[in-house]
Amino acid sequence: MIDVITFAFLAGVAALLYAGLLTFQVLRSPKGNDKMQEISGAIREGANAFLSRQYKTLVPIVALLALVIGYFIGINTAIAFLVGVVSSGLAGYVGMQVSVRSNVRVAEAAKGGLASALSLAFKGGAVTGMALVGLGLIGLSVLYKTFGLVPLIGYGFGASLISLFARVGGGIYTKAADVGADLVGKVEAGIPEDDPRNPAVIADNVGDNVGDCAGMAADVFESFVVTVIAAMLLGATISGGYEIIPLGIAALGVLAGIGGSVFVRLGKDKKIMGAFYNGIIASTLLMLAFSYVYLKDMQLFLTVFLGMLVTLSMFMITEYYTDKDRGPVRRIAEAAKTGAGTNIISGLAIGMEATGLPALVIVAAIAIAFKLAGLYGIALAAAAMLSMSGIVIAVDSYGPITDNAGGIAEMSGLPPKVREVTDLLDAVGNTTKATTKGYAIAGAALGALALFVAFANESKLTSINLLSPPVVMGLFIGAMLPFVFSSLLMTAVGRAAFQIVEEVRRQFREIKGLMQGKARADYAKCVDISTATALRELALPGIMAVVTPLLVGFLFGAAALGGLLAGVIASGFLLALFSCTSGAAWDNAKKLIEGGEYGGKGSDTHKAAVVGDTVGDPLKDTSGPALNALIKVVNTVSLVFGAMIVAKSLNLI
């Protein structure tokens, strides 16, 4: 009988082999006509150029941190850190390479109807999900076998760092292009989305891949490995082999995701979201069956069951607030009848309301898991939840593929019935992206809580006194950090979008025949503007995330740093929920109107909804998702340097 470490390694290999099989099936599908392939090639070229420049920008930062970790912490932790960096970057890169090749094939498959296009889009997205968990399991098992448990913290930090920069850089890129394209194209020029006359349209489609595919993959890869590591660290404090259980749970979840993906198919009701729920529910049932056999302790099994419940709850709650057929989105769309102002007010209110149920779900999960198995139970529930990352990211990465497919169909002049199919896929893609963001936020909160407890154990903190001035100072700094961080990202999107708007206006003004469809737009210029701005703006938020916990810890001590971690988890979790949910609701309210309700495309209601969507775009795709990475980077930095902080803190107060 094989041991758990070998089993986890083999499960990782199985996930990569399955990703390879799916890639083969996608790439052998027809690519469409020359015009479609030309557009897809431009999107692929822009996405590759951005990722290449982003990774080159990060090399000096990564090298410096590796040297610091190697000198102060240990060479094994430094090696694990570098492996985490490479694995996280590779997870996003592999998924994006398939995504930018799937888009044109899905557009071609849409000629054959909804079922064939859905199947191909999901397979393309599943490559990202399976590559992510496969690389994560292989990295965890090999490093644990080679170096033991403690250096794994470096692996988690490396993954967290790349996740942060991928989310920040990709998020700024995608929303600068999207907002710029919408403001000039839809509002000023009155042309449809993905119209080839819009110079920002290629940059917009590139952004879907670098933000929603590569960025999301790095984000959830980090959550997956960091949560397993934190649970293993807590398990190590309990005698009886609890240390290795989270790795086994992660491996079982990956295998369950592979099995569940087979059940994603369109039923007689033709409901796309229903097809995805089939896969997620099947994966959940398989996971429960596997873990019941694996775990001999009923209380531990119940914590796994709890993790599955949190996953399903977050999907259903987020779908309720963001689906265009539900009440909240309809209220936002109806508010647009009286202008952009009321549309924005309604969206803000829905976003604030949408923090309530998820917060209560997390609170209930913490209370029940703690009752079942103490702090270790909370960590194991989080690990079980994140073990479903493969199937969840498969559903998420479907979104940018179908979005691109719709753009290619529009720009290449395919028949209206093809665009009808891609529009149906894309509308659900907005909801799936929102629901998976809700899942990622909940996973980040529970994972960060496990990291927080691991930090407290390492720093010998048995309690944190809220009446202590250093703790209160840390608490306020931690609660403030997500807001300042989000401000930097929103400002960056605004600056980049301004440049895109000016460039699109210039081309409309100076390129004769462009608006009549007789001349070609200079797409490369908008791609270059988005790329340069995103890379220029990503450094400061990243530095802030790494430096702030170190400064607080060294100046005021471990207790103050504990206060900071508590503040950043609570504040970041709620702000991320607000940002992602409100943004998705604004987006689908716009799409509801574009579908013919409340005046339809081109109406004053539609123009008001487009303004609301431009406000929501950087919230849901830039600052909101990046908060997940911020929460975990702050916690992993504290964990990596925790012992040093305790030894060398100045305790100025």
Side-chain angles (χ1 to χ4, degrees):
M1 184 175 180
I2 62 174
D3 62 87
V4 174
I5 302 171
T6 305
F7 175 70
F9 175 81
L10 292 175
V13 171
L16 291 184
L17 290 175
Y18 185 52
L21 173 64
L22 294 173
T23 301
F24 173 75
Q25 292 176 348
V26 169
L27 295 183
R28 73 176 181 177
S29 302
K31 294 187 288 186
N33 59 41
D34 290 342
K35 180 65 174 176
M36 295 166 66
Q37 293 180 48
E38 178 188 350
I39 296 166
S40 177
I43 295 170
R44 183 169 65 250
E45 182 180 338
N48 284 332
F50 174 78
L51 274 195
S52 176
R53 288 174 63 177
Q54 183 183 53
Y55 291 155
K56 288 177 182 176
T57 302
L58 296 180
V59 166
I61 299 172
V62 168
L64 177 61
L65 283 172
L67 290 173
V68 171
I69 293 170
Y71 181 79
F72 288 105
I73 309 299
I75 188 65
N76 290 349
T77 304
I79 292 171
F81 167 75
L82 291 174
V83 174
V85 166
V86 173
S87 299
S88 182
L90 189 59
Y93 182 80
V94 168
M96 196 201 73
Q97 290 303 317
V98 176
S99 177
V100 295
R101 288 167 172 79
S102 301
N103 50 21
V104 68
R105 292 169 167 84
V106 171
E108 178 67 16
K111 296 177 182 178
L114 187 62
S116 58
L118 170 63
S119 175
L120 194 61
F122 176 73
K123 287 178 180 177
V127 173
T128 303
M130 298 308 160
L132 178 158
V133 293
L135 288 168
L137 281 180
I138 290 171
L140 285 168
S141 55
V142 170
L143 288 171
Y144 182 70
K145 186 77 172 179
T146 306
F147 297 135
L149 179 58
V150 175
L152 280 182
I153 300 169
Y155 183 61
F157 180 36
S160 296
L161 189 72
I162 292 303
S163 167
L164 179 67
F165 285 118
R167 269 306 192 189
V168 169
I172 293 171
Y173 183 109
T174 183
K175 289 305 108 178
D178 195 356
V179 170
D182 281 356
L183 285 177
V184 185
K186 291 182 181 180
V187 177
E188 294 184 8
I191 58 179
E193 187 168 6
D194 296 320
D195 193 297
R197 293 171 292 177
N198 193 327
V201 71
I202 293 294
D204 186 9
N205 281 275
V206 169
D208 292 331
N209 293 285
V210 300
D212 290 330
C213 185
M216 186 65 164
D219 182 1
V220 175
F221 175 87
E222 174 235 2
S223 291
F224 176 69
V225 299
V226 161
T227 303
V228 172
I229 292 167
M232 292 175 73
L233 287 168
L234 292 180
T237 64
I238 308 170
S239 60
Y242 289 92
E243 176 180 320
I244 203 68
I245 289 175
L247 187 58
I249 290 295
L252 292 175
V254 169
L255 295 178
I258 293 173
S261 68
V262 178
F263 292 88
V264 177
R265 57 171 66 96
L266 204 61
K268 293 180 181 179
D269 58 5
K270 302 295 183 183
K271 289 186 177 180
I272 300 170
M273 201 67 194
F276 291 138
Y277 273 122
N278 289 341
I280 292 168
I281 291 171
S283 299
T284 300
L285 294 175
L286 285 171
M287 176 59 182
L288 291 174
F290 293 161
S291 57
Y292 182 79
V293 174
Y294 171 58
L295 294 169
K296 308 304 180 186
D297 187 319
M298 180 55 68
Q299 289 180 304
L300 293 183
F301 169 73
L302 289 175
T303 64
V304 171
F305 181 72
L306 189 63
M308 298 298 99
L309 281 182
V310 172
T311 298
L312 292 175
S313 298
M314 291 305 300
F315 263 79
M316 290 187 289
I317 292 168
T318 311
E319 183 192 359
Y320 170 74
Y321 279 106
T322 59
D323 191 288
K324 65 184 180 67
D325 295 325
R326 303 294 187 117
V329 169
R330 287 190 167 275
R331 292 204 299 272
I332 295 172
E334 188 173 10
K337 291 164 63 177
T338 50
T342 47
N343 174 261
I344 291 171
I345 291 169
S346 180
L348 290 172
I350 292 297
M352 292 174 186
E353 178 189 320
T355 63
L357 284 176
L360 292 176
V361 166
I362 295 299
V363 168
I366 291 170
I368 297 170
F370 184 78
K371 186 73 172 177
L372 287 168
L375 294 171
Y376 180 69
I378 298 171
L380 194 61
M385 182 181 176
L386 269 300
S387 75
M388 304 301 291
S389 295
I391 185 72
V392 170
I393 292 302
V395 172
D396 178 83
S397 294
Y398 150 95
I401 292 172
T402 56
D403 196 338
N404 273 200
I408 291 169
E410 181 76 26
M411 287 184 276
S412 59
L414 294 182
K417 68 173 186 177
V418 175
R419 186 68 210 229
E420 288 174 11
V421 171
T422 59
D423 279 349
L424 286 172
L425 294 170
D426 185 27
V428 175
N430 278 332
T431 302
T432 62
K433 286 187 286 187
T435 54
T436 50
K437 284 187 180 80
Y439 163 86
I441 293 165
L446 285 175
L449 181 60
L451 286 169
F452 180 30
V453 175
F455 162 77
N457 286 340
E458 183 179 349
S459 303
K460 313 301 182 189
L461 289 174
T462 56
S463 64
I464 296 178
N465 182 7
L466 288 177
L467 297 178
S468 167
V471 172
V472 174
M473 290 164 55
L475 188 67
F476 273 97
I477 293 171
M480 166 270 293
L481 193 58
F483 287 91
V484 175
F485 181 83
S486 296
S487 171
L488 290 173
L489 301 191
M490 296 287 283
T491 302
V493 170
R495 278 198 291 260
F498 178 84
Q499 294 179 52
I500 294 290
V501 166
E502 290 296 297
E503 175 59 24
V504 173
R505 285 173 176 167
R506 182 194 68 78
Q507 291 194 36
F508 281 158
R509 187 173 60 249
E510 297 180 6
I511 299 178
K512 294 181 179 180
L514 178 58
M515 284 301 294
Q516 291 74 38
K518 298 178 181 179
R520 179 183 170 87
D522 183 1
Y523 302 121
K525 183 63 176 176
C526 290
V527 170
D528 186 63
I529 289 172
S530 290
T531 300
T533 306
L535 295 178
R536 186 170 60 247
E537 300 281 359
L538 64 77
L540 182 56
I543 292 170
M544 176 188 295
V546 174
V547 171
T548 302
L550 294 177
L551 284 177
V552 170
F554 283 123
L555 291 177
F556 305 115
L561 182 52
L564 181 141
L565 298 182
V568 79
I569 292 170
S571 168
F573 169 60
L574 294 173
L575 185 58
L577 281 172
F578 161 76
S579 300
C580 291
T581 308
S582 61
W586 267 312
D587 192 353
N588 274 346
K590 176 198 69 176
K591 291 193 179 302
L592 179 66
I593 294 168
E594 289 174 345
E597 298 197 36
Y598 303 110
K601 284 185 179 180
S603 65
D604 289 340
T605 303
H606 180 229
K607 290 180 180 179
V610 170
V611 175
D613 182 38
T614 58
V615 174
D617 268 340
L619 284 171
K620 74 179 174 67
D621 288 327
T622 307
S623 65
L627 288 170
N628 296 343
L630 172 72
I631 292 169
K632 287 169 289 183
V633 165
V634 170
N635 277 273
T636 51
V637 167
S638 303
L639 188 56
V640 169
F641 295 97
M644 189 191 310
I645 288 170
V646 172
K648 298 184 179 298
S649 61
L650 299 178
N651 287 306
L652 295 181
I653 288 185

